[in-house]
Amino acid sequence: MRITNNYMTRNYLGNLNSSLELYNESGNRLNTGRKFSKMSENVSDGTRALTIRTQNYKNEQIQENVKKAGETLSVAESNLMSIKDIVDHIHATTVEALNTTNASAADIYATEFDAVKNQIVEFANCKYNNSFILGGTNNATAPFVIKEDGDLYFNGVNVNDIQKTEGKFIVGNTEVPYSNSVFLDIGLGMSVKNGEVDQRTAFNMSVSGLDCLGYGTSEIEYSCVDGSVKKAEAPNNIYEIIDEMSKCLKERDFDKLSGLNDKLKSSFENLVTEISDIGIRTNYLERHTSRLEDEEYVLTDIQNEIEYIKETDELVNNKSMEYSWLLTLQYGSKVLPKSLMDYVQ
């Protein structure tokens, strides 16, 4: 086979351009820090990178949801703890009132009870991120309102008329407005069946004001000074109980006051249970957050491995490409006519 000067020239220039292209590509990788800039440069790794990015984005969104849920529960817990302190104080004060011989002191206690029961409503209407935390799905108006009749209403319904059946709050045969729970996607595969969220696949971030403060009425028994035992229908809601206790103080009905104080103690224990439940859910979110952060770390590490260069390795590769190009130039000076080499250089 005859090797001509034209063949050697074309072959050399092809190798030279190829070497220069590899050298420039290495330089671009060093400048950008990326292994490739377009999908067409590496379809396989590009596809993997898009998948990892999607998973990482979803992880970030879920972490935001978990953070929101945790902060909501924290605000709810803080306000419920304030209500707990008030109820604890009222219970202790009632014991004092029952043991005092000063009849006029009852009016002072009644005035105090009227003041603190209104504070309970303020705490029950606590907000976070423009949402009423204890109001179910009601974000527009305060869920707990004291109306002209002096009774407490939840989303427009008298709390004394509310009952709970199969996990739903009802009044008569109608479900109480906005009393449903609020569920959040925290990466458990949230799904909906028959128009309702499958509770096994989502996180219940709501705190029911009705469950915490009480609803409906029930019968109480209390002993009287004359030795008789009386029965009376009493509210289960903390606000309403304190309101009834204030009335007893004003009417000097200390026998019923004692029975209501026992009722308040029971409601206090229920409130503590609800606060404890918030603590359990908060701990769960903290553990879940830790898992999500570990997952994010792994996904980010995989993404970096696919998309980004290791600078030290690329520096070595870049030097190799540079030497290859220089050697190709040097080789050309040996095999090509000088006039052509002057042009190439």
Side-chain angles (χ1 to χ4, degrees), residues 87 170 280 320:
V87 175
I170 61 171
I280 293 171
S320 298

PDB file of all heavy atoms in Angstrom, residues 87 170 280 320:
ATOM      1  N   VAL A  87     -56.324  25.294  84.146  1.00  0.00           N
ATOM      2  CA  VAL A  87     -57.228  24.303  84.743  1.00  0.00           C
ATOM      3  C   VAL A  87     -56.669  23.811  86.078  1.00  0.00           C
ATOM      4  O   VAL A  87     -57.414  23.639  87.060  1.00  0.00           O
ATOM      5  CB  VAL A  87     -57.445  23.124  83.780  1.00  0.00           C
ATOM      6  CG1 VAL A  87     -58.285  22.041  84.448  1.00  0.00           C
ATOM      7  CG2 VAL A  87     -58.122  23.601  82.503  1.00  0.00           C
ATOM      8  N   ILE A 170     -70.704  15.000  65.606  1.00  0.00           N
ATOM      9  CA  ILE A 170     -72.019  15.260  65.025  1.00  0.00           C
ATOM     10  C   ILE A 170     -72.877  16.058  65.989  1.00  0.00           C
ATOM     11  O   ILE A 170     -72.669  16.058  67.205  1.00  0.00           O
ATOM     12  CB  ILE A 170     -72.738  13.948  64.655  1.00  0.00           C
ATOM     13  CG1 ILE A 170     -72.962  13.092  65.925  1.00  0.00           C
ATOM     14  CG2 ILE A 170     -71.964  13.163  63.617  1.00  0.00           C
ATOM     15  CD1 ILE A 170     -73.860  11.880  65.683  1.00  0.00           C
ATOM     16  N   ILE A 280     -46.013  12.394  71.513  1.00  0.00           N
ATOM     17  CA  ILE A 280     -45.697  11.144  70.805  1.00  0.00           C
ATOM     18  C   ILE A 280     -45.566  11.405  69.311  1.00  0.00           C
ATOM     19  O   ILE A 280     -44.632  10.921  68.654  1.00  0.00           O
ATOM     20  CB  ILE A 280     -46.795  10.091  71.077  1.00  0.00           C
ATOM     21  CG1 ILE A 280     -46.761   9.668  72.547  1.00  0.00           C
ATOM     22  CG2 ILE A 280     -46.622   8.885  70.166  1.00  0.00           C
ATOM     23  CD1 ILE A 280     -47.929   8.795  72.958  1.00  0.00           C
ATOM     24  N   SER A 320      -2.898  14.922  31.266  1.00  0.00           N
ATOM     25  CA  SER A 320      -2.644  13.861  30.299  1.00  0.00           C
ATOM     26  C   SER A 320      -3.100  14.287  28.907  1.00  0.00           C
ATOM     27  O   SER A 320      -2.398  14.052  27.902  1.00  0.00           O
ATOM     28  CB  SER A 320      -3.368  12.578  30.711  1.00  0.00           C
ATOM     29  OG  SER A 320      -2.899  12.105  31.947  1.00  0.00           O
TER      30      SER A 320
END
